[in-house]
């Protein structure tokens, strides 16, 4: 037993050398061994393999280490967060769409309710008018009589046929009286007018009064009514054999209504033959009446200047505006390009040209003859002449220095006012140096005459040519005086009356009446005064604004006066009775200043205002 145990031990101890020796030299002396040691070696090898098996995964544990696990968790968390954010964004977007659709639906429902309410109001008003008309016609309430059987209504078929026409005449008379037409156009008795109304409004020959007015019968029904009985003209009025003068006048008035809605000449195209002459007369009536009924509304806002806009002037023919600003530039605006763009064209107006030469603020502007040139006066004491470029010029072209045509030097301080006379081809300027100069821009020595050299009347603030006598200029001064100068004699003619009190004598602007020898002045004490150039007396004085009146402008026809003030308002006045007909809040204040200039277009329906907020606004 001990031998076997020692042999086993020896075999166990010699397992590795034997195995290795057999591997190296299988023919060695120890190559032939009993099978027992070989089995024992295999078992030992298996035991060693079994003992080393748990250590194998530790050699390749890099993917399941603690940093790796943390990295995996962080990656999954970030992916989850990204998906969560995407889902929340999608949810918010869907919520916004739902809210928008709900708002649209609510708006449509409100509009529907409002329209239904208006329809009910109109139906009720129509019922009341019918009842009133029936009561006035018969002296009693006939609402119950309308529900009589048809057998009882047959003998009185002619009054039933007359009702729609007479009711239409009553309504038409009422509407015409509301808009202020005279009685000469209210008596429409001729066949021509009736045929015109019969074609335009089916209710003229439509249903009987018992039927609702919303569904009139077709024209065929009206013609059958006319053909079934006697002619309607003999039933309605015994004076139908009158001449056609009344109908012609009425046709002209209806053409005026149509042309007022669809533009000039719209009614003329619809009337053939004699109606064209009536259309011309109607257009004259339109021009005279539209002046009293027009309400000016803001149309364009011009945003390009970087500082307050001091002066404005329109092209005499085209829809073109020139503006001068404290940023030292002049800008040319073509309003036609904006009028044919999108509905919100106020944000799309851009200047087509920018004039740059002044070394300081531009304080005054004047448009030259036929809109081919313009003049500007600035804080740099110069008056500069410019050529108006092509109105279709590309705004991004290179600057052409040849646009500046001339520089009129002579003033020694800021040029506050400019005025140009097309008939005399003269330019007038007033400066803070106390002088008023008359220039011939096309002459080699442009300065023609100088007034107030010694500052005997103070510092001039504004200058204007007298429209009724172009050989005269009217000049306002900071001491409150207004003088008339004769350009031929180069002498002062008259000092206009001054009613100002101490501390409020400053005159900001003077303009001349377009057709009468009247000068109009705007004062720092919120008043506007009308002065007679012949007698020098004050015709009228009124408090016009809540703050200093800074600018004035008159329309070429002498109907309107427009004033601007530092109270942020533009007011429109009738020149004949000097009453305010409209007030527009146009600009915002900046350093206690609001509106610096206003202008009327000489030939088109445009009004412009310039403000300290660097905006120019156009009203139509």
């Amino acid at each position: 037993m001990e031998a076997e145990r020692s042999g086993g031990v020896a075999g166990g101890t010699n397992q590795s050398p034997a195995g290795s020796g057999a591997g190296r030299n299988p023919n060695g002396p120890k190559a032939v061994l009993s099978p027992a040691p070989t089995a024992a070696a295999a078992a030992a090898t298996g035991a060693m393999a079994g003992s080393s098996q748990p250590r194998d995964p530790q050699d390749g544990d890099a993917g399941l280490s603690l940093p790796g696990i943390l990295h995996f968790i962080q990656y999954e968390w970030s992916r989850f967060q990204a998906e969560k954010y995407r889902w929340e964004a999608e949810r918010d977007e869907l919520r916004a769409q739902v809210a928008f659709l709900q708002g649209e639906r609510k708006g449509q429902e409100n509009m529907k309710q409002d329209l239904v309410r208006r329809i009910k109001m109109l139906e009720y008003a129509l019922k009341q008018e019918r009842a009133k008309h029936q009561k006035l016609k018969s002296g009693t309430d006939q609402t119950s009589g309308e529900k009589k059987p048809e057998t009882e209504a047959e003998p009185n078929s002619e009054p039933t046929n007359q009702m729609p026409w007479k009711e239409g005449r009553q309504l038409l008379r009422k509407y015409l009286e509301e808009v202020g037409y005279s009685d000469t156009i209210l008596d429409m008795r001729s066949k021509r007018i009736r045929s015109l109304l019969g074609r335009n409004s089916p209710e003229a020959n439509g249903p009987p009064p018992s039927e609702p007015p919303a569904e009139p019968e077709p024209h065929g029904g009206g013609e059958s009514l006319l053909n079934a009985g006697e002619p309607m003209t003999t039933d309605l009025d015994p004076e139908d054999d009158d001449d056609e003068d009344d109908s012609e006048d009425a046709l002209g008035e209806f053409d005026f209504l149509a042309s007022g809605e669809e533009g000039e000449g719209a009614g003329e195209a619809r009337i053939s033959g004699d109606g064209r002459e009536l259309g011309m007369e109607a257009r004259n009536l339109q021009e005279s009446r539209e002046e009293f009924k027009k309400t000016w509304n803001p149309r364009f806002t011009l945003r390009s200047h970087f500082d307050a806009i001091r002066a404005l002037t329109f092209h005499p023919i085209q829809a073109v505006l020139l503006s001068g600003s404290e940023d030292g530039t002049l800008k040319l605006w073509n309003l036609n390009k904006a009028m044919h763009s999108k509905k919100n064209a106020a944000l799309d107006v851009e200047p087509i040209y920018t004039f740059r030469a002044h070394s300081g603020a531009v304080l005054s502007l004047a448009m030259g003859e036929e809109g081919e040139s313009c003049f500007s006066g600035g804080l740099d004491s110069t008056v500069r002449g410019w050529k108006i470029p092509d109105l279709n010029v590309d705004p991004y072209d290179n600057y052409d220095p040849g646009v500046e045509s001339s520089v009129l030097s002579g003033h020694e301080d800021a040029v506050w006012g400019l005025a140009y006379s097309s008939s005399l081809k003269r330019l007038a300027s007033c400066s803070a140096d106390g002088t008023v100069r008359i220039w011939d821009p096309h002459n080699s020595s442009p300065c023609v005459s100088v007034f107030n050299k010694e500052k005997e009347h103070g510092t001039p603030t504004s200058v204007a040519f007298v429209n009724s006598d172009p050989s005269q200029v009217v000049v306002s001064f900071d001491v409150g005086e207004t003088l008339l100068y004769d350009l031929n004699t180069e002498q002062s003619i008259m000092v206009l009356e001054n009613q100002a009190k101490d501390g409020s004598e400053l005159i900001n602007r003077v303009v001349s009446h377009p057709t009468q020898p009247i000068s109009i002045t705007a004062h720092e004490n919120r008043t506007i005064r009308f002065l007679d150039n012949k007698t020098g007396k004050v015709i009228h004085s009124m408090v016009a604004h809540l703050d200093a009146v800074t600018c004035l402008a008159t329309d070429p026809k002498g109907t309107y006066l427009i004033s601007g003030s530092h109270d942020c308002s533009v007011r429109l006045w009738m020149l004949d009775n000097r009453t305010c007909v409209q007030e527009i809040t146009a600009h915002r204040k900046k350093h206690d200043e609001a509106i610096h200039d206003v202008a009327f277009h000489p030939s088109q329906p445009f009004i412009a205002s310039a403000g300290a907020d660097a905006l120019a606004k156009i009203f139509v």
Side-chain angles (χ1 to χ4, degrees), residues 43-320:
T45 306
M48 292 175 66
S51 63
S52 64
Q53 188 174 1
R55 294 193 188 98
D56 291 337
Q58 292 180 0
D59 299 334
D61 264 358
L64 296 179
S65 62
L66 186 60
I69 292 172
L70 291 176
H71 177 72
F72 175 77
I73 293 175
Q74 289 178 352
Y75 171 77
E76 290 295 322
W77 176 257
S78 62
R79 186 172 62 85
F80 170 76
Q81 288 291 338
E83 290 180 356
K84 177 184 176 183
Y85 292 150
R86 283 197 296 270
W87 179 82
E88 288 179 350
E90 196 172 340
R91 181 190 62 182
D92 294 339
E93 184 178 356
L94 291 175
R95 283 181 177 177
Q97 290 181 359
V98 169
F100 175 76
L101 293 175
Q102 288 178 348
E104 277 194 339
R105 178 185 175 186
K106 188 174 181 180
Q108 294 292 338
E109 289 176 354
N110 292 338
M111 184 182 295
K112 178 183 175 182
Q113 293 176 359
D114 184 69
L115 291 176
V116 170
R117 181 174 57 85
R118 291 174 182 271
I119 289 173
K120 290 182 179 179
M121 290 170 60
L122 291 174
E123 289 177 351
Y124 178 76
L126 185 59
K127 289 180 182 179
Q128 295 292 328
E129 288 295 327
R130 283 187 169 178
K132 183 178 179 181
H133 176 73
Q134 281 287 86
K135 190 173 182 179
L136 290 175
K137 179 183 175 184
S138 58
T140 58
D141 191 1
Q142 297 292 333
T143 55
S144 60
E146 294 179 359
K147 300 181 181 179
K148 290 182 179 180
E150 294 182 358
T151 56
E152 297 180 7
E154 285 179 0
N156 298 327
S157 59
E158 290 182 1
T160 305
N161 293 338
Q162 296 177 13
M163 272 303 299
W165 169 253
K166 288 191 175 183
E167 190 173 348
R169 283 187 67 181
Q170 289 281 348
L171 290 176
L172 184 60
R173 182 185 296 271
K174 180 181 177 182
Y175 296 153
L176 292 176
E177 288 175 353
E178 287 180 358
V179 298
Y181 288 110
S182 59
D183 294 335
T184 57
I185 66 168
L186 299 180
D187 299 327
M188 298 172 292
R189 304 183 179 91
S190 68
K191 299 178 183 179
R192 186 174 181 184
I193 294 298
R194 289 195 181 89
S195 62
L196 178 63
L197 294 176
R199 287 195 299 270
N200 289 341
S201 60
E203 291 184 7
N205 297 324
S210 60
E211 297 181 5
E215 299 178 0
E217 294 183 3
H219 292 289
E223 293 174 358
S224 64
L225 288 175
L226 288 175
N227 295 331
E230 296 181 4
M232 185 178 292
T233 55
T234 58
D235 294 333
L236 289 176
D237 207 321
E239 301 177 359
D240 290 333
D241 296 333
D242 295 345
D243 54 355
E244 297 291 329
D245 294 337
D246 195 14
S247 63
E248 297 294 332
D249 294 338
L251 269 178
E253 295 294 341
F254 277 111
D255 177 55
F256 159 66
L257 284 173
S259 60
E261 295 177 356
E262 301 175 12
E264 294 184 3
E268 301 173 19
R270 289 195 300 270
I271 302 176
S272 60
D274 299 336
R276 293 191 177 276
E277 298 178 2
L278 295 172
M280 295 296 294
E281 297 176 0
R283 187 161 67 177
N284 295 333
L285 288 174
Q286 174 196 3
E287 292 177 356
S288 61
R289 293 181 180 179
E290 188 175 347
E291 291 175 348
F292 295 91
K293 297 180 180 180
K294 183 174 180 60
T295 299
W296 297 88
N297 297 309
R299 183 67 177 91
F300 305 121
T301 301
L302 312 183
R303 316 167 187 267
S304 183
H305 284 291
F306 298 111
D307 209 338
I309 302 177
R310 281 285 181 172
L312 291 173
T313 183
F314 276 106
H315 192 281
I317 302 172
Q318 303 292 333
V320 173

Side-chain angles (χ1 to χ4, degrees), residues 65 165 177 215 331 395 405 464 496 521 562 591:
S65 62
W165 169 253
E177 288 175 353
E215 299 178 0
K331 291 183 183 290
S405 59
L496 304 182
T521 55
I562 187 170
H591 303 311

Side-chain angles (χ1 to χ4, degrees), residues 451-463:
F451 302 105
N452 198 44
K453 291 181 182 180
E454 305 298 330
K455 285 191 177 182
E456 56 268 22
H457 299 288
T459 302
T461 58
S462 179
V463 61

